[in-house]
Each structure stands twice: as structure tokens, then as C-alpha cells.
Short mmCIF file of all heavy atoms in Angstrom, two decimals:
data_model
loop_
_atom_site.label_atom_id
_atom_site.label_comp_id
_atom_site.label_asym_id
_atom_site.label_seq_id
_atom_site.Cartn_x
_atom_site.Cartn_y
_atom_site.Cartn_z
N MET W 297 -2.44 10.46 -2.76
CA MET W 297 -1.81 9.85 -1.58
C MET W 297 -1.02 10.85 -0.79
O MET W 297 -0.97 10.77 0.42
CB MET W 297 -0.90 8.72 -2.02
CG MET W 297 -1.56 7.62 -2.74
SD MET W 297 -2.63 6.37 -1.90
CE MET W 297 -3.53 7.02 -0.66
N GLU W 298 -0.36 11.81 -1.47
CA GLU W 298 0.40 12.81 -0.74
C GLU W 298 -0.50 13.67 0.14
O GLU W 298 -0.08 14.03 1.28
CB GLU W 298 1.17 13.76 -1.73
CG GLU W 298 2.39 13.10 -2.39
CD GLU W 298 2.04 12.17 -3.52
OE1 GLU W 298 0.89 12.30 -4.09
OE2 GLU W 298 2.88 11.38 -3.91
N ALA W 299 -1.72 13.93 -0.30
CA ALA W 299 -2.69 14.66 0.54
C ALA W 299 -3.04 13.94 1.82
O ALA W 299 -3.14 14.52 2.88
CB ALA W 299 -3.92 15.05 -0.25
N ILE W 300 -3.24 12.62 1.68
CA ILE W 300 -3.53 11.81 2.84
C ILE W 300 -2.38 11.82 3.80
O ILE W 300 -2.47 11.90 5.05
CB ILE W 300 -3.91 10.39 2.44
CG1 ILE W 300 -5.23 10.32 1.73
CG2 ILE W 300 -3.97 9.43 3.68
CD1 ILE W 300 -5.59 9.02 1.08
N SER W 301 -1.14 11.67 3.24
CA SER W 301 0.12 11.68 4.07
C SER W 301 0.20 12.94 4.86
O SER W 301 0.45 12.96 6.01
CB SER W 301 1.31 11.48 3.16
OG SER W 301 2.44 11.67 3.89
N LYS W 302 0.02 14.12 4.18
CA LYS W 302 0.11 15.41 4.90
C LYS W 302 -0.98 15.64 5.94
O LYS W 302 -0.71 16.02 7.05
CB LYS W 302 0.09 16.57 3.80
CG LYS W 302 1.35 16.63 3.02
CD LYS W 302 1.26 17.75 2.00
CE LYS W 302 2.50 17.78 1.09
NZ LYS W 302 2.39 18.75 0.07
N GLU W 303 -2.21 15.28 5.56
CA GLU W 303 -3.33 15.47 6.43
C GLU W 303 -3.19 14.61 7.71
O GLU W 303 -3.54 15.00 8.79
CB GLU W 303 -4.60 15.20 5.72
CG GLU W 303 -5.92 15.35 6.59
CD GLU W 303 -6.18 16.82 6.90
OE1 GLU W 303 -5.79 17.69 6.17
OE2 GLU W 303 -6.82 17.05 7.98
N CYS W 304 -2.79 13.38 7.47
CA CYS W 304 -2.80 12.38 8.59
C CYS W 304 -1.39 12.23 9.29
O CYS W 304 -1.30 11.51 10.26
CB CYS W 304 -3.21 11.03 8.13
SG CYS W 304 -4.93 11.10 7.47
N GLY W 305 -0.35 12.88 8.72
CA GLY W 305 1.00 12.76 9.29
C GLY W 305 1.51 11.31 9.19
O GLY W 305 2.06 10.83 10.14
N VAL W 306 1.38 10.72 8.02
CA VAL W 306 1.87 9.33 7.88
C VAL W 306 3.02 9.31 6.82
O VAL W 306 3.17 10.19 5.99
CB VAL W 306 0.74 8.42 7.40
CG1 VAL W 306 -0.35 8.36 8.52
CG2 VAL W 306 0.13 8.82 6.13
N ASP W 307 3.84 8.23 6.88
CA ASP W 307 4.90 7.99 5.95
C ASP W 307 4.35 7.28 4.75
O ASP W 307 3.53 6.39 4.84
CB ASP W 307 6.03 7.20 6.54
CG ASP W 307 6.64 7.86 7.73
OD1 ASP W 307 6.70 9.07 7.79
OD2 ASP W 307 7.14 7.13 8.65
N LEU W 308 4.86 7.67 3.53
CA LEU W 308 4.53 6.99 2.31
C LEU W 308 5.72 6.18 1.82
O LEU W 308 6.83 6.69 1.87
CB LEU W 308 4.11 7.95 1.19
CG LEU W 308 2.78 8.65 1.39
CD1 LEU W 308 2.60 9.61 0.16
CD2 LEU W 308 1.64 7.72 1.48
N VAL W 309 5.54 5.01 1.30
CA VAL W 309 6.60 4.20 0.71
C VAL W 309 6.06 3.76 -0.69
O VAL W 309 4.95 3.14 -0.73
CB VAL W 309 6.92 2.97 1.54
CG1 VAL W 309 7.94 2.09 0.91
CG2 VAL W 309 7.39 3.37 2.98
N ASP W 310 6.80 4.06 -1.74
CA ASP W 310 6.41 3.61 -3.05
C ASP W 310 6.93 2.26 -3.30
O ASP W 310 8.12 2.06 -3.49
CB ASP W 310 7.00 4.61 -4.07
CG ASP W 310 6.55 4.33 -5.49
OD1 ASP W 310 6.11 3.18 -5.76
OD2 ASP W 310 6.64 5.29 -6.31
N ALA W 311 6.03 1.28 -3.31
CA ALA W 311 6.43 -0.13 -3.48
C ALA W 311 7.08 -0.46 -4.81
O ALA W 311 7.80 -1.43 -4.91
CB ALA W 311 5.20 -1.03 -3.25
N THR W 312 6.88 0.40 -5.76
CA THR W 312 7.55 0.22 -7.04
C THR W 312 9.02 0.72 -7.05
O THR W 312 9.77 0.27 -7.90
CB THR W 312 6.79 0.93 -8.21
OG1 THR W 312 6.85 2.39 -7.99
CG2 THR W 312 5.40 0.49 -8.31
N LYS W 313 9.35 1.51 -6.07
CA LYS W 313 10.71 2.06 -5.96
C LYS W 313 11.51 1.50 -4.76
O LYS W 313 12.71 1.49 -4.77
CB LYS W 313 10.68 3.52 -5.94
CG LYS W 313 10.09 4.17 -7.19
CD LYS W 313 10.00 5.63 -7.10
CE LYS W 313 9.42 6.22 -8.34
NZ LYS W 313 9.12 7.64 -8.28
N VAL W 314 10.77 1.08 -3.74
CA VAL W 314 11.44 0.60 -2.51
C VAL W 314 10.95 -0.84 -2.28
O VAL W 314 9.88 -1.02 -1.66
CB VAL W 314 11.08 1.51 -1.28
CG1 VAL W 314 11.73 1.03 -0.01
CG2 VAL W 314 11.45 2.96 -1.57
N PRO W 315 11.75 -1.83 -2.65
CA PRO W 315 11.30 -3.20 -2.52
C PRO W 315 11.29 -3.75 -1.10
O PRO W 315 10.58 -4.66 -0.73
CB PRO W 315 12.25 -3.98 -3.41
CG PRO W 315 13.48 -3.18 -3.49
CD PRO W 315 13.00 -1.74 -3.38
N GLU W 316 12.13 -3.19 -0.19
CA GLU W 316 12.25 -3.65 1.16
C GLU W 316 12.25 -2.48 2.09
O GLU W 316 12.92 -1.48 1.88
CB GLU W 316 13.50 -4.53 1.35
CG GLU W 316 13.42 -5.81 0.60
CD GLU W 316 14.56 -6.74 0.94
OE1 GLU W 316 15.09 -6.64 2.03
OE2 GLU W 316 14.91 -7.52 0.06
N LYS W 317 11.51 -2.56 3.24
CA LYS W 317 11.56 -1.57 4.28
C LYS W 317 11.11 -2.24 5.63
O LYS W 317 10.21 -3.06 5.65
CB LYS W 317 10.55 -0.45 3.92
CG LYS W 317 10.48 0.62 5.01
CD LYS W 317 9.97 1.93 4.47
CE LYS W 317 9.81 2.93 5.56
NZ LYS W 317 11.05 3.55 6.01
N ASP W 318 11.82 -1.88 6.68
CA ASP W 318 11.40 -2.36 7.92
C ASP W 318 10.21 -1.64 8.51
O ASP W 318 10.16 -0.45 8.71
CB ASP W 318 12.59 -2.10 8.96
CG ASP W 318 12.32 -2.65 10.35
OD1 ASP W 318 11.27 -3.31 10.55
OD2 ASP W 318 13.14 -2.32 11.23
N LEU W 319 9.09 -2.39 8.58
CA LEU W 319 7.82 -1.82 8.99
C LEU W 319 7.45 -2.13 10.47
O LEU W 319 6.37 -1.84 10.87
CB LEU W 319 6.66 -2.32 8.06
CG LEU W 319 6.83 -2.06 6.56
CD1 LEU W 319 5.71 -2.77 5.81
CD2 LEU W 319 6.91 -0.56 6.27
N SER W 320 8.36 -2.80 11.13
CA SER W 320 8.08 -3.20 12.49
C SER W 320 7.76 -2.10 13.52
O SER W 320 7.12 -2.33 14.47
CB SER W 320 9.24 -4.09 13.04
OG SER W 320 10.39 -3.34 13.11
N GLY W 321 8.21 -0.88 13.24
CA GLY W 321 8.03 0.18 14.18
C GLY W 321 6.69 0.86 14.05
O GLY W 321 6.39 1.85 14.76
N TYR W 322 5.84 0.50 13.07
CA TYR W 322 4.59 1.13 12.82
C TYR W 322 3.45 0.50 13.56
O TYR W 322 3.44 -0.75 13.64
CB TYR W 322 4.25 1.16 11.32
CG TYR W 322 5.16 2.03 10.55
CD1 TYR W 322 6.31 1.51 9.89
CD2 TYR W 322 4.97 3.41 10.40
CE1 TYR W 322 7.21 2.32 9.15
CE2 TYR W 322 5.79 4.16 9.64
CZ TYR W 322 6.93 3.63 9.07
OH TYR W 322 7.82 4.45 8.36
N ASP W 323 2.48 1.23 14.09
CA ASP W 323 1.34 0.64 14.74
C ASP W 323 0.28 0.03 13.75
O ASP W 323 -0.31 -0.93 14.04
CB ASP W 323 0.63 1.72 15.62
CG ASP W 323 1.48 2.22 16.75
OD1 ASP W 323 2.31 1.46 17.30
OD2 ASP W 323 1.35 3.41 17.09
N ALA W 324 0.14 0.73 12.65
CA ALA W 324 -0.72 0.29 11.59
C ALA W 324 -0.14 0.52 10.21
O ALA W 324 0.69 1.50 10.09
CB ALA W 324 -2.07 1.08 11.67
N ILE W 325 -0.41 -0.31 9.26
CA ILE W 325 0.21 -0.25 7.99
C ILE W 325 -0.89 -0.32 6.95
O ILE W 325 -1.75 -1.17 7.01
CB ILE W 325 1.19 -1.46 7.78
CG1 ILE W 325 2.26 -1.39 8.77
CG2 ILE W 325 1.78 -1.44 6.38
CD1 ILE W 325 3.11 -2.70 8.98
N GLY W 326 -0.85 0.63 6.03
CA GLY W 326 -1.87 0.69 4.96
C GLY W 326 -1.30 0.43 3.60
O GLY W 326 -0.12 0.75 3.36
N PHE W 327 -2.04 -0.21 2.77
CA PHE W 327 -1.67 -0.48 1.41
C PHE W 327 -2.67 0.14 0.50
O PHE W 327 -3.85 -0.04 0.71
CB PHE W 327 -1.54 -2.01 1.14
CG PHE W 327 -0.44 -2.63 1.91
CD1 PHE W 327 -0.80 -3.29 3.08
CD2 PHE W 327 0.87 -2.64 1.43
CE1 PHE W 327 0.26 -3.90 3.82
CE2 PHE W 327 1.86 -3.25 2.19
CZ PHE W 327 1.54 -3.87 3.38
N ALA W 328 -2.23 0.88 -0.54
CA ALA W 328 -3.12 1.50 -1.51
C ALA W 328 -2.68 1.08 -2.89
O ALA W 328 -1.53 1.01 -3.22
CB ALA W 328 -3.03 3.00 -1.34
N SER W 329 -3.65 0.87 -3.77
CA SER W 329 -3.42 0.48 -5.11
C SER W 329 -4.66 0.63 -5.97
O SER W 329 -5.79 0.61 -5.49
CB SER W 329 -3.04 -1.01 -5.17
OG SER W 329 -2.85 -1.49 -6.49
N GLY W 330 -4.37 0.78 -7.27
CA GLY W 330 -5.47 0.64 -8.20
C GLY W 330 -5.80 -0.84 -8.31
O GLY W 330 -5.07 -1.68 -7.76
N ILE W 331 -6.85 -1.18 -8.97
CA ILE W 331 -7.22 -2.60 -9.07
C ILE W 331 -6.92 -3.07 -10.53
O ILE W 331 -7.26 -2.49 -11.44
CB ILE W 331 -8.78 -2.76 -8.79
CG1 ILE W 331 -9.04 -2.30 -7.35
CG2 ILE W 331 -9.20 -4.26 -8.98
CD1 ILE W 331 -8.31 -3.05 -6.27
N TYR W 332 -6.20 -4.19 -10.54
CA TYR W 332 -5.79 -4.79 -11.79
C TYR W 332 -6.23 -6.24 -11.86
O TYR W 332 -5.70 -7.04 -11.05
CB TYR W 332 -4.26 -4.69 -11.98
CG TYR W 332 -3.73 -3.28 -11.89
CD1 TYR W 332 -3.41 -2.74 -10.60
CD2 TYR W 332 -3.62 -2.49 -12.97
CE1 TYR W 332 -2.97 -1.43 -10.51
CE2 TYR W 332 -3.17 -1.15 -12.91
CZ TYR W 332 -2.86 -0.62 -11.67
OH TYR W 332 -2.42 0.68 -11.56
N ALA W 333 -7.12 -6.61 -12.73
CA ALA W 333 -7.69 -7.98 -12.86
C ALA W 333 -8.15 -8.43 -11.50
O ALA W 333 -7.84 -9.48 -11.00
CB ALA W 333 -6.61 -8.91 -13.43
N SER W 334 -8.91 -7.54 -10.77
CA SER W 334 -9.51 -7.80 -9.48
C SER W 334 -8.47 -7.97 -8.36
O SER W 334 -8.83 -8.53 -7.34
CB SER W 334 -10.35 -9.08 -9.55
OG SER W 334 -11.37 -8.94 -10.47
N LYS W 335 -7.25 -7.48 -8.53
CA LYS W 335 -6.28 -7.53 -7.49
C LYS W 335 -5.48 -6.20 -7.39
O LYS W 335 -5.55 -5.34 -8.23
CB LYS W 335 -5.21 -8.59 -7.85
CG LYS W 335 -5.73 -10.04 -7.94
CD LYS W 335 -4.58 -10.94 -8.29
CE LYS W 335 -5.11 -12.39 -8.42
NZ LYS W 335 -4.02 -13.23 -8.85
N PHE W 336 -4.83 -6.06 -6.25
CA PHE W 336 -3.93 -4.92 -6.06
C PHE W 336 -2.77 -5.14 -7.07
O PHE W 336 -2.46 -6.25 -7.53
CB PHE W 336 -3.33 -4.93 -4.68
CG PHE W 336 -4.10 -4.08 -3.69
CD1 PHE W 336 -5.46 -4.04 -3.67
CD2 PHE W 336 -3.42 -3.41 -2.66
CE1 PHE W 336 -6.17 -3.24 -2.82
CE2 PHE W 336 -4.13 -2.68 -1.75
CZ PHE W 336 -5.46 -2.58 -1.82
N HIS W 337 -2.05 -4.05 -7.38
CA HIS W 337 -0.92 -4.10 -8.32
C HIS W 337 0.11 -5.13 -7.72
O HIS W 337 0.34 -5.17 -6.54
CB HIS W 337 -0.28 -2.71 -8.46
CG HIS W 337 0.68 -2.69 -9.56
ND1 HIS W 337 2.04 -3.01 -9.41
CD2 HIS W 337 0.57 -2.29 -10.86
CE1 HIS W 337 2.68 -2.84 -10.52
NE2 HIS W 337 1.78 -2.42 -11.47
N GLN W 338 0.72 -5.82 -8.63
CA GLN W 338 1.69 -6.86 -8.21
C GLN W 338 2.79 -6.32 -7.37
O GLN W 338 3.24 -7.00 -6.43
CB GLN W 338 2.21 -7.63 -9.41
CG GLN W 338 2.98 -8.88 -9.10
CD GLN W 338 2.13 -9.93 -8.38
OE1 GLN W 338 0.99 -10.25 -8.80
NE2 GLN W 338 2.57 -10.43 -7.26
N SER W 339 3.28 -5.13 -7.58
CA SER W 339 4.40 -4.55 -6.78
C SER W 339 3.94 -4.39 -5.29
O SER W 339 4.73 -4.58 -4.46
CB SER W 339 4.89 -3.27 -7.36
OG SER W 339 3.84 -2.28 -7.34
N VAL W 340 2.68 -4.03 -5.12
CA VAL W 340 2.16 -3.88 -3.75
C VAL W 340 2.03 -5.23 -3.07
O VAL W 340 2.42 -5.40 -1.92
CB VAL W 340 0.83 -3.09 -3.77
CG1 VAL W 340 0.18 -3.05 -2.36
CG2 VAL W 340 0.97 -1.71 -4.37
N LEU W 341 1.55 -6.20 -3.74
CA LEU W 341 1.43 -7.56 -3.25
C LEU W 341 2.80 -8.11 -2.90
O LEU W 341 3.01 -8.72 -1.81
CB LEU W 341 0.70 -8.49 -4.19
CG LEU W 341 -0.72 -8.12 -4.52
CD1 LEU W 341 -1.32 -8.99 -5.65
CD2 LEU W 341 -1.62 -8.15 -3.34
N ASN W 342 3.77 -7.92 -3.79
CA ASN W 342 5.18 -8.41 -3.50
C ASN W 342 5.75 -7.70 -2.29
O ASN W 342 6.36 -8.34 -1.39
CB ASN W 342 6.06 -8.14 -4.72
CG ASN W 342 5.72 -8.97 -5.92
OD1 ASN W 342 4.97 -10.00 -5.84
ND2 ASN W 342 6.24 -8.60 -7.05
N PHE W 343 5.56 -6.37 -2.19
CA PHE W 343 6.10 -5.58 -1.05
C PHE W 343 5.47 -6.12 0.22
O PHE W 343 6.18 -6.35 1.19
CB PHE W 343 5.78 -4.15 -1.23
CG PHE W 343 6.28 -3.25 -0.16
CD1 PHE W 343 7.55 -2.68 -0.27
CD2 PHE W 343 5.54 -2.96 0.99
CE1 PHE W 343 8.08 -1.89 0.74
CE2 PHE W 343 6.00 -2.17 2.00
CZ PHE W 343 7.31 -1.65 1.93
N ALA W 344 4.17 -6.34 0.26
CA ALA W 344 3.50 -6.84 1.46
C ALA W 344 4.05 -8.24 1.82
O ALA W 344 4.27 -8.44 3.02
CB ALA W 344 1.95 -6.88 1.23
N SER W 345 4.21 -9.10 0.87
CA SER W 345 4.65 -10.49 1.21
C SER W 345 6.07 -10.48 1.75
O SER W 345 6.39 -11.34 2.57
CB SER W 345 4.52 -11.36 -0.05
OG SER W 345 5.51 -11.00 -0.98
N VAL W 346 6.92 -9.54 1.35
CA VAL W 346 8.30 -9.49 1.82
C VAL W 346 8.44 -8.73 3.11
O VAL W 346 9.23 -9.10 3.98
CB VAL W 346 9.20 -8.82 0.72
CG1 VAL W 346 10.57 -8.55 1.25
CG2 VAL W 346 9.28 -9.67 -0.46
N ASN W 347 7.64 -7.63 3.30
CA ASN W 347 7.87 -6.70 4.42
C ASN W 347 6.85 -6.68 5.52
O ASN W 347 7.18 -6.10 6.64
CB ASN W 347 7.98 -5.34 3.84
CG ASN W 347 9.12 -5.21 2.85
OD1 ASN W 347 10.29 -5.24 3.23
ND2 ASN W 347 8.79 -4.97 1.60
N LEU W 348 5.75 -7.23 5.41
CA LEU W 348 4.68 -7.08 6.37
C LEU W 348 4.94 -8.00 7.57
O LEU W 348 4.98 -9.21 7.49
CB LEU W 348 3.25 -7.48 5.81
CG LEU W 348 2.09 -7.19 6.70
CD1 LEU W 348 1.99 -5.73 7.02
CD2 LEU W 348 0.84 -7.71 5.98
N PRO W 349 5.21 -7.31 8.75
CA PRO W 349 5.37 -8.10 10.01
C PRO W 349 4.06 -8.79 10.44
O PRO W 349 2.98 -8.28 10.13
CB PRO W 349 5.82 -7.04 11.01
CG PRO W 349 6.05 -5.74 10.31
CD PRO W 349 5.31 -5.88 9.01
N GLU W 350 4.21 -9.85 11.19
CA GLU W 350 2.97 -10.52 11.68
C GLU W 350 2.37 -9.68 12.77
O GLU W 350 3.03 -8.91 13.46
CB GLU W 350 3.38 -11.90 12.20
CG GLU W 350 3.75 -12.88 11.12
CD GLU W 350 3.94 -14.32 11.64
OE1 GLU W 350 3.27 -14.67 12.62
OE2 GLU W 350 4.77 -15.00 11.05
N ASP W 351 1.10 -9.89 13.03
CA ASP W 351 0.33 -9.25 14.09
C ASP W 351 0.33 -7.71 14.05
O ASP W 351 0.45 -7.07 15.08
CB ASP W 351 0.85 -9.71 15.48
CG ASP W 351 0.72 -11.23 15.62
OD1 ASP W 351 -0.21 -11.80 15.11
OD2 ASP W 351 1.57 -11.79 16.30
N LYS W 352 0.21 -7.15 12.85
CA LYS W 352 0.13 -5.70 12.69
C LYS W 352 -1.29 -5.38 12.17
O LYS W 352 -1.89 -6.12 11.46
CB LYS W 352 1.16 -5.16 11.73
CG LYS W 352 2.54 -5.09 12.20
CD LYS W 352 2.73 -4.05 13.24
CE LYS W 352 4.18 -3.99 13.73
NZ LYS W 352 4.37 -3.00 14.73
N LYS W 353 -1.78 -4.27 12.63
CA LYS W 353 -3.05 -3.76 12.09
C LYS W 353 -2.80 -3.28 10.64
O LYS W 353 -1.85 -2.52 10.50
CB LYS W 353 -3.61 -2.65 12.96
CG LYS W 353 -4.01 -3.08 14.30
CD LYS W 353 -4.57 -1.93 15.13
CE LYS W 353 -4.87 -2.31 16.53
NZ LYS W 353 -5.29 -1.19 17.33
N ILE W 354 -3.65 -3.70 9.71
CA ILE W 354 -3.44 -3.20 8.34
C ILE W 354 -4.73 -2.64 7.86
O ILE W 354 -5.85 -3.00 8.30
CB ILE W 354 -2.87 -4.27 7.39
CG1 ILE W 354 -3.91 -5.38 7.22
CG2 ILE W 354 -1.55 -4.79 7.83
CD1 ILE W 354 -3.54 -6.32 6.03
N PHE W 355 -4.65 -1.80 6.79
CA PHE W 355 -5.89 -1.31 6.11
C PHE W 355 -5.55 -1.25 4.61
O PHE W 355 -4.35 -1.10 4.28
CB PHE W 355 -6.38 0.05 6.74
CG PHE W 355 -5.39 1.18 6.62
CD1 PHE W 355 -5.50 2.03 5.50
CD2 PHE W 355 -4.46 1.43 7.58
CE1 PHE W 355 -4.59 3.10 5.37
CE2 PHE W 355 -3.60 2.47 7.46
CZ PHE W 355 -3.66 3.31 6.42
N LEU W 356 -6.58 -1.29 3.87
CA LEU W 356 -6.41 -1.24 2.44
C LEU W 356 -7.22 -0.11 1.81
O LEU W 356 -8.30 0.21 2.24
CB LEU W 356 -6.91 -2.58 1.85
CG LEU W 356 -6.38 -3.86 2.46
CD1 LEU W 356 -7.08 -5.08 1.81
CD2 LEU W 356 -4.90 -3.91 2.15
N ILE W 357 -6.62 0.55 0.78
CA ILE W 357 -7.28 1.57 0.04
C ILE W 357 -7.17 1.13 -1.41
O ILE W 357 -6.11 0.90 -1.95
CB ILE W 357 -6.58 2.96 0.23
CG1 ILE W 357 -6.63 3.39 1.72
CG2 ILE W 357 -7.29 3.98 -0.68
CD1 ILE W 357 -5.81 4.68 1.94
N SER W 358 -8.31 1.06 -2.02
CA SER W 358 -8.32 0.61 -3.46
C SER W 358 -9.05 1.63 -4.32
O SER W 358 -9.97 2.31 -3.82
CB SER W 358 -8.90 -0.77 -3.62
OG SER W 358 -10.20 -0.73 -3.23
N ALA W 359 -8.64 1.74 -5.60
CA ALA W 359 -9.31 2.70 -6.47
C ALA W 359 -9.66 1.97 -7.75
O ALA W 359 -8.83 1.15 -8.21
CB ALA W 359 -8.39 3.86 -6.81
N LEU W 360 -10.83 2.22 -8.26
CA LEU W 360 -11.32 1.63 -9.47
C LEU W 360 -11.83 2.74 -10.32
O LEU W 360 -12.64 3.52 -9.93
CB LEU W 360 -12.39 0.58 -9.18
CG LEU W 360 -13.00 -0.12 -10.42
CD1 LEU W 360 -11.94 -0.93 -11.16
CD2 LEU W 360 -14.13 -1.00 -9.97
N MET W 361 -11.31 2.82 -11.55
CA MET W 361 -11.78 3.83 -12.46
C MET W 361 -12.79 3.30 -13.38
O MET W 361 -12.52 2.27 -14.12
CB MET W 361 -10.59 4.39 -13.27
CG MET W 361 -10.97 5.53 -14.17
SD MET W 361 -9.52 6.05 -15.07
CE MET W 361 -9.75 7.79 -14.92
N ALA W 362 -14.00 3.83 -13.38
CA ALA W 362 -15.06 3.39 -14.23
C ALA W 362 -14.85 3.92 -15.70
O ALA W 362 -14.45 5.09 -15.83
CB ALA W 362 -16.41 3.79 -13.71
N GLN W 363 -15.12 3.08 -16.58
CA GLN W 363 -14.98 3.56 -18.04
C GLN W 363 -16.24 4.23 -18.45
O GLN W 363 -17.39 3.79 -18.14
CB GLN W 363 -14.73 2.32 -18.93
CG GLN W 363 -13.41 1.62 -18.71
CD GLN W 363 -13.15 0.51 -19.58
OE1 GLN W 363 -14.08 0.15 -20.35
NE2 GLN W 363 -12.04 -0.11 -19.49
N LYS W 364 -16.08 5.29 -19.25
CA LYS W 364 -17.23 6.02 -19.81
C LYS W 364 -17.75 5.21 -21.03
O LYS W 364 -17.01 4.68 -21.82
CB LYS W 364 -16.91 7.40 -20.22
CG LYS W 364 -16.57 8.32 -19.09
CD LYS W 364 -16.30 9.70 -19.58
CE LYS W 364 -15.97 10.64 -18.43
NZ LYS W 364 -15.81 11.98 -18.89
N GLU W 365 -19.06 5.17 -21.16
CA GLU W 365 -19.67 4.43 -22.30
C GLU W 365 -19.88 5.38 -23.49
O GLU W 365 -20.03 6.49 -23.38
CB GLU W 365 -20.94 3.78 -21.92
CG GLU W 365 -20.72 2.73 -20.93
CD GLU W 365 -22.02 1.99 -20.55
OE1 GLU W 365 -22.98 2.07 -21.31
OE2 GLU W 365 -22.05 1.37 -19.48
#
């Protein structure tokens, strides 16, 4: 995520450490998470439900690690 932040010039917020943040000044908001039981991590979902302003463009980045057989 740090590489994406540096390359694209975006701010990162760790939802596990920062439960509330004013996101109203952003044009677009992205959420990134590993996948847990077919969902984003609960801390990311909680952060979004508390902080996401209405009528904002959002994007999602998810990662799934395949198990070796």
C-alpha cells in the first residue's frame, strides 16, 4: 500500500489505528483489505460505516491469498 501511496500521491489511513477521520475533502476514497470469510476486514467495514460521506466516488482493492496444495 505504501508503494501505491507514493506512486499516486495519495494519503493512507490505517483503519485499525484511526477509527475516525474527516474524509469530506477527498474527491475519491479507496478501501483496501484482505478478504475474510468473503468480506473485507471488519475494521475497514466499521471505518467506512462511520466515516464515509455520501455522494463520494469510492473504489475497492481486495487481496486473496491462495493456499498451496
Side-chain angles (χ1 to χ4, degrees):
M297 299 287 35
E298 286 81 16
I300 292 172
S301 173
K302 288 178 184 177
E303 180 69 27
C304 298
V306 298
D307 297 331
L308 291 180
V309 176
D310 185 338
T312 65
K313 296 178 181 172
V314 181
E316 293 187 27
K317 178 157 176 76
D318 180 8
L319 302 176
S320 62
Y322 294 94
D323 295 329
I325 300 165
F327 294 96
S329 176
I331 300 300
Y332 303 88
S334 301
K335 296 181 183 179
F336 269 35
H337 192 275
Q338 191 61 48
S339 63
V340 175
L341 298 174
N342 292 345
F343 182 89
S345 70
V346 170
N347 298 293
L348 187 60
E350 291 188 31
D351 299 326
K352 287 288 181 178
K353 294 178 185 178
I354 66 166
F355 62 92
L356 307 173
I357 300 172
S358 61
L360 177 65
M361 180 178 225
Q363 294 181 357
K364 292 183 180 182
E365 293 183 21

